[in-house]
Amino acid sequence: METKEPLAKFHANINVKGQLVIPKKDREVLGLERDDVVEIIVRTIEREDSRLRILGSAYVVVKLSSRGLITIPEEIRKALNITPNTVLEVLVIGFHKFNELITEKGKTVLTQLNSRPFRIITPDEEEKLLKKSTAYYSYSISES
């Protein structure tokens, strides 16, 4: 008989923003870094005598942010009645390295989004951007 175990299992408090931290040691063991995608099962639990009872659970796919923070979606928090300081049981059941999920162009765009997705440009810069753009259309003005 084969027994399947999660990659990691831990208990964490959720904060007012719906975030919790994947422990540093678990991140190190799994090689998880900022922007990696993590598949988890989140369980609400209660202690009953010397046992833990699962009240509800949800499958969530989340992006890892700085210092191991992940955000549990609001819909899940509402459905499972998760409030700040609720202790959750978290099972990491899969992960995907950011670099393996996205093309080089995608990485460039996401880097721009995460840093400074805007800047003032000159007419020359605008022309260069339009020339290298692959997402544009052309039109003509017809006189009626």
Side-chain angles (χ1 to χ4, degrees), residues 11-88:
H11 295 90
N13 285 333
I14 194 160
N15 69 18
V16 293
K17 294 180 181 177
Q19 300 170 316
L20 58 88
V21 175
I22 295 179
K24 184 176 182 181
K25 189 52 75 179
D26 290 326
R27 295 191 320 265
E28 288 173 353
V29 168
L30 297 173
L32 295 175
E33 299 170 329
R34 180 187 179 114
D35 293 329
D36 287 347
V37 175
V38 183
E39 296 177 63
I40 60 173
I41 294 174
V42 178
R43 295 174 173 165
T44 52
I45 55 172
E46 75 176 4
R47 190 176 170 138
E48 202 173 79
D49 298 321
S50 61
R51 301 180 62 138
L52 293 178
R53 187 167 75 97
I54 298 170
L55 302 174
S57 61
Y59 169 74
V60 185
V61 178
V62 291
K63 186 173 95 168
L64 193 64
S65 64
S66 63
R67 298 183 312 269
L69 277 174
I70 57 173
T71 302
I72 305 303
E74 186 175 355
E75 298 87 352
I76 300 296
R77 297 193 314 261
K78 284 182 180 178
L80 296 179
N81 197 30
I82 298 170
T83 59
N85 295 318
T86 298
V87 177
L88 299 174

Side-chain angles (χ1 to χ4, degrees), residues 85-99:
N85 295 318
T86 298
V87 177
L88 299 174
E89 185 170 71
V90 181
L91 289 72
V92 178
I93 60 170
F95 65 90
H96 309 277
K97 302 299 289 174
F98 174 76
N99 290 335

Side-chain angles (χ1 to χ4, degrees), residues 110-128:
L110 287 173
T111 300
Q112 290 171 340
L113 276 173
N114 288 332
S115 59
R116 216 172 135 216
F118 57 87
R119 68 179 190 275
I120 304 300
I121 58 173
T122 66
D124 287 342
E125 288 173 309
E126 179 179 313
E127 187 177 333
K128 287 178 187 174

Side-chain angles (χ1 to χ4, degrees), residues 4-15:
K4 295 208 174 201
E5 294 286 326
L7 297 169
K9 179 179 173 181
F10 59 92
H11 295 90
N13 285 333
I14 194 160
N15 69 18

